[in-house]
Amino acid sequence: MHLNVHATQTETTMAVTLPEAVLARYERFSLYNSPYPAHDGGCAIDLYPGTLADGRTTAAPSPVAGTVRETRTVRAPPKPYAPEHDHLILLEPADTSPFAGLTVRILHVEPAVDAGDRLDRGDSLGRLVRAGFFAPWVDNHLHVGFRSPDQNPYRAAGSLPIDLGAAVRPLEWDGTGRVRSTGDTYAVLDAPTHPDPGATFVGVRADGGGVLDGGVPHYDGGGLLERSESPAADEPTETVVSLNGDRLGVADGRTIAWDDVTVTANGAPITGLSLFCARDGEFGAKLICPERSFARGERIRVRVRSNAAI
């Protein structure tokens, strides 16, 4: 067996690389767009097989080939819109897998598999479910993390950092668009537009380069993926991150600490802006706005203002 892990240039912590063949099985992914502390530092990834905000469920394709080690029911934070339990699936990757020797932990799937079952990559693990780990505007997905043999696979935090083995194309976005679709707690704009749906992953470009990932500012922090250059050993790792001239926060390596900011839509405050990577044609800026409603076709301008200036 072997471990497909490596040391990043900016830290000594070992990281797991997800190859393009794994990511391409899903429509969207995010390393940072989650309230769940297990995502701190990009140490877990959410994989979205499809957009299921209406609560429908679908099969959950396994990201790895291997053997089911264990399934168990776990407690989830109590929320009025979700049950107080979730499900944990532990997988032991096959010897031929790039993840051989690691333990893969998966949440948010009601398992249709049992301990000892052998799976190919893409086989269904069961049925996607919603739990109290979700914010109400989050679509159904698999939460995936990787543990080394000496790590406790049951603890919520402690997974290895994840690197991307697939390119993400940064898309320029001027902060404007028309509302394409809405839900009880969100609105999706028709911009930026994916130039070639299905062919590659895209995300919103930060002013200085890189792809923004995370919920600003409603989650604790975010990520700056696909930075064109890594800082040299004698250079500071911290970088100011902005969007359309509006300062968002400071990135240390790829992890962003948001400033004290407020996102506005047409000048009025909303909860935030959801940023992620996608390859489907429905990609667009997602406004988190349970306090407001927008009409389809309505023209929106999004800005981010500093609360320190108020």
Side-chain angles (χ1 to χ4, degrees), residues 87-100:
H87 304 276
L88 172 66
I89 301 175
L90 298 180
L91 299 179
E92 300 295 342
D95 289 348
T96 55
S97 167
F99 311 111

Side-chain angles (χ1 to χ4, degrees), residues 158-242:
S159 290
L160 298 168
I162 294 175
D163 286 343
L164 304 176
V168 182
R169 179 175 174 178
L171 297 183
E172 298 279 357
W173 179 50
D174 65 1
T176 66
R178 293 189 181 276
V179 176
R180 171 193 289 141
S181 61
T182 62
D184 291 339
T185 57
Y186 68 89
V188 179
L189 305 185
D190 62 359
T193 302
H194 197 309
D196 190 10
T200 187
F201 284 98
V202 299
V204 173
R205 181 185 184 274
D207 288 346
V211 172
L212 293 166
D213 180 13
V216 53
H218 50 285
Y219 298 148
D220 288 342
L224 185 62
L225 314 178
E226 293 289 322
R227 295 178 67 177
S228 57
E229 295 182 3
S230 298
D234 58 347
E235 294 180 346
T237 60
E238 295 188 350
T239 304
V240 173
V241 180
S242 62

Side-chain angles (χ1 to χ4, degrees), residues 217 248 258-262 305-308:
L248 302 181
W258 305 128
D259 288 348
D260 182 12
V261 297
T262 296
R305 72 186 187 200
S306 171
N307 293 329

